[in-house]
């Protein structure tokens, strides 16, 4: 391997590990080399001039700097990270144009510059994707996960064959893992909205395996030498972006544990289930159970509207099995469970109300209250997803403040389940 390619490989490994100071030091030492002094104005020197900016930009990106307009390290009029990347891309494009077709080192510089432009283009598109997720989440808007999935899958596919130069292997691996993690997590959200047990589980597992792989690439050799005790005493060394992805996955997993609580509880004893659920980011089922008991409501349940959805259900479904037309509104979970274990007019009433108030529920902007003909019972309904409805059944007028407790409980729970606050925290993570 030529000296230049070996240098670039080492430099980009440091960049991928977010060892910014070490990467900048490498460039400084390379500039100080005797042979380099003669070629500082040549192709190699032109590339070296821009490498420290790449290292700093990558560190800022990993620290979620792209959602903050004030980055003190960049003395520019518009100092957003996106602008920094765009400027770098223009500079590298000029380097490519000026060095292509020159001496042998010029060909390498031109090739690397071209592929760095591809890499930076991907980063700019990812910044726009994160901004889109954030903007979609504010003010409790409905998250359009299918649109987000198409967007991130497009970015992943476009750049799947880019940055093929061996010197860029480390940063290309990080880019690929980040894209694939976002694909898997967004896919998990889409599948959860359609109440699909196995495909959601596979997406969550796919995200976890890639996150573990990315975490390993973030570890520099020096950090491993510190040993467990030294690293344990330090604050979390993972970049803010990685921590946010962990937070998002944990939130989706907690939601998954709620939507498929009935299925999962059949695989473990009650004690084991409580232990497992207590380790989740949020134990939604325990919250529902506690509220139902504390405020003496008749039942809290979730119902899925399976109309127009294929392969939905609490477990694996045989592909050739005929759909059950009579079960368009399956009960996802119920607390207490006895509420749905015996024939009840409540379920018929609830299904009827979901059909009648479908448009209001789909807006997901308010709790819909329905009373039966005799005004004995009230059904409070609020959608956590377009086809998933949380319902609280309670006796009308039994307690004056019961409705306010129901409103507060359902609003808080639905906001958490929707994960909007997690996406909104992209900007608050700093």
């Amino acid at each position: 391997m030529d000296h230049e390619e070996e240098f670039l490989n080492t430099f980009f490994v440091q960049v991928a590990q977010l060892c910014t100071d070490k990467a900048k030091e490498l460039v400084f030492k390379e500039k100080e080399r005797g042979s380099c002094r003669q070629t500082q104005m040549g192709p190699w020197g032109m590339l070296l001039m821009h490498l420290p900016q790449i290292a700093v930009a990558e560190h800022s990106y990993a620290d979620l700097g792209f959602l903050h307009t004030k980055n003190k390290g960049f003395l520019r009029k518009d100092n957003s990270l996106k602008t920094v990347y765009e400027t770098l891309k223009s500079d590298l494009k000029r380097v490519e144009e000026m060095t292509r077709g020159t001496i042998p080192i010029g060909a390498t510089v031109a090739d690397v510059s071209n592929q760095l432009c591809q890499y930076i283009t991907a980063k700019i598109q990812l910044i726009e994707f994160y901004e889109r997720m954030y903007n979609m989440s504010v003010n409790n808007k409905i998250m359009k996960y299918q649109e987000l999935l198409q967007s991130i899958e497009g970015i992943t596919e476009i750049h799947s064959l880019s940055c093929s130069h061996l010197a860029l292997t480390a940063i290309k691996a990080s880019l690929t893992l980040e894209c694939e993690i976002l694909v898997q997590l967004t896919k998990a959200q889409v599948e959860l909205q359609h109440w699909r047990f196995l495909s959601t589980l596979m997406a969550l597992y796919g995200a976890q395996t890639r996150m573990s792989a990315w975490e390993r690439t973030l570890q520099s050799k020096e950090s491993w030498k510190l040993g467990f005790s030294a690293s344990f005493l330090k604050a979390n060394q993972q970049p803010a972006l990685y921590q946010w992805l962990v937070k998002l996955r944990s939130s989706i997993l907690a939601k998954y544990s709620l939507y498929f609580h009935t299925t999962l509880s059949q695989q473990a004893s009650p004690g084991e289930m409580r232990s497992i659920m207590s380790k989740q980011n949020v134990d939604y089922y325990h919250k529902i159970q506690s509220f139902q008991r504390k405020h003496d409501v008749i039942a809290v349940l979730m119902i899925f509207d399976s109309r127009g959805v294929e392969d939905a259900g609490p477990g694996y479904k045989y592909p050739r099995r005929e759909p059950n037309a009579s079960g368009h509104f399956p009960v996802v979970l119920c607390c207490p469970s006895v509420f749905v274990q015996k024939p009840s007019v409540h379920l018929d009433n609830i299904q009827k109300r979901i059909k009648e108030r479908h448009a209001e529920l789909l807006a997901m902007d308010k709790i819909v209250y329905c009373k039966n003909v005799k005004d004995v019972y009230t059904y409070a309904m609020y959608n956590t997803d377009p086809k998933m409805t949380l319902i609280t059944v309670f006796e009308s007028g039994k307690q004056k403040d019961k409705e306010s407790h129901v409103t507060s409980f359902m609003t808080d729970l639905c906001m958490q389940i929707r994960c909007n606050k997690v996406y909104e925290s992209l900007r608050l993570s700093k």
Side-chain angles (χ1 to χ4, degrees), residues 365-369 380-382 406-408 410-411:
D365 59 356
K366 64 179 179 180
I367 298 174
V368 176
Y369 287 94
M381 304 188 296
Y382 202 10
V406 169
T407 300
S408 177
M410 293 186 70
T411 302

Side-chain angles (χ1 to χ4, degrees), residues 4 7 25 88 95 147 163 177 221 250 360 379 392:
E4 287 79 8
F7 167 82
E25 187 181 344
L88 263 172
V95 171
E147 288 183 16
C163 309
L177 286 169
K221 292 178 182 177
S250 298
E360 290 176 76
Y379 307 117
T392 301

Side-chain angles (χ1 to χ4, degrees), residues 269-287:
S269 67
E272 288 173 329
M273 193 65 186
R274 281 193 297 272
S275 175
I276 293 167
M277 295 298 289
S278 67
K279 296 172 185 175
Q280 296 291 332
N281 189 36
V282 185
D283 186 350
Y284 290 119
Y285 187 78
H286 179 70
K287 280 192 169 190

Side-chain angles (χ1 to χ4, degrees), residues 2 15 22 36 54 60 71 94 102 113 127 136 157 164 192-193 201 204 228 252 259 277 279 297 316 352 394 410:
D2 294 335
V15 170
K22 288 183 179 180
C36 190
I54 293 173
S60 180
N71 293 308
R94 278 196 296 273
T102 58
S113 298
I127 287 172
M136 199 179 280
E157 186 177 353
S164 57
L192 258 184
Q193 284 191 333
L201 182 63
L204 284 168
F228 174 77
I252 299 171
Y259 280 16
M277 295 298 289
K279 296 172 185 175
V297 298
Y316 177 74
K352 182 181 176 183
F394 60 98
M410 293 186 70

Side-chain angles (χ1 to χ4, degrees), residues 197 260-270 272-273 276 314:
F197 178 83
F260 298 104
H261 185 274
T262 303
T263 301
L264 296 171
S265 61
Q266 293 169 357
Q267 315 303 317
S269 67
E272 288 173 329
M273 193 65 186
I276 293 167

